[in-house]
Structures are given as structure tokens and as C-alpha cells.
């Protein structure tokens, strides 16, 4: 069981005019303690390399799959989480 199980997370995805040639901007609305998510809730491209190495063939599903993979990684499996339902300002 991971600390994210049973919780609902809201994300904000902004696809600019250059999408799908450029990656969307992705941030969590719901607070989360996860490696690669900044204090403002944004995905850090230094950790989520898919954003740095973006290819036109990638999709939003590709990003969501990477987030899910990170949530189930051993390094994130024991991180304490903010109270359920809290959001970034």
C-alpha cells in the first residue's frame, strides 16, 4: 500500500500553442509530497525527464503514466502526505 492510494488528486495541464511539439505545463492543484514536485506543485523537469526530452509522439497519457510510476517508486512509498483535500494557493 502506498501513501497515495485512496486519495484523489487534481492536476492542471496547460497545453500552449506549440503543443504537441512542446510539453504541456503540469502542476498539482491538490497538495502532494512527491519527489519532483516543487513547493508550488509544479512538475520539476529535472526529475520528470519526459518534460525535458519531450517528443511529439508523447501525450498527456505519457505524462500521467510517469507520475503514476513515480508515485509507486520505492523512494516515494513512505513519504508523509499533507492532509487530504489541501490545495496549493
Amino acid at each position: 500500500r502506498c501513501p497515495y492510494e485512496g486519495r484523489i488528486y487534481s492536476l492542471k495541464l496547460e497545453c500552449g500553442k506549440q503543443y504537441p511539439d512542446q510539453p504541456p505545463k503540469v502542476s498539482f492543484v491538490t497538495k502532494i509530497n512527491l519527489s519532483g514536485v516543487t513547493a508550488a506543485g509544479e512538475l520539476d523537469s529535472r526529475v520528470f525527464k519526459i518534460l525535458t526530452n519531450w517528443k511529439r509522439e508523447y501525450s498527456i497519457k505519457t505524462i500521467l503514466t510517469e507520475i503514476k510510476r513515480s508515485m509507486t517508486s520505492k523512494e516515494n512509498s513512505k513519504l508523509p502526505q499533507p492532509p487530504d483535500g489541501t490545495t496549493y494557493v
Side-chain angles (χ1 to χ4, degrees):
R1 183 167 163 92
C2 73
Y4 313 102
E5 194 172 329
R7 290 177 165 230
I8 296 174
Y9 293 94
S10 296
L11 288 92
K12 181 178 179 181
L13 293 103
E14 295 180 62
C15 299
K17 292 181 181 187
Q18 300 295 327
Y19 181 82
D21 294 317
Q22 297 293 318
K25 213 173 135 186
V26 184
S27 58
F28 277 84
V29 174
T30 309
K31 280 195 175 183
I32 188 169
N33 187 4
L34 181 69
S35 298
V37 177
T38 69
E42 298 171 347
L43 290 192
D44 185 342
S45 62
R46 294 172 296 179
V47 176
F48 287 92
K49 301 284 187 194
I50 191 170
L51 298 174
T52 305
N53 303 319
W54 186 258
K55 296 179 183 172
R56 183 177 175 80
E57 300 81 42
Y58 293 164
S59 66
I60 291 171
K61 181 180 178 181
T62 311
I63 295 171
L64 295 176
T65 301
E66 281 299 303
I67 293 170
K68 181 180 177 184
R69 184 198 56 73
S70 181
M71 291 171 108
T72 58
S73 74
K74 191 172 185 173
E75 71 179 287
N76 289 317
S77 67
K78 304 241 189 266
L79 293 177
Q81 294 302 305
D84 211 5
T86 55
T87 58
Y88 292 98
V89 177

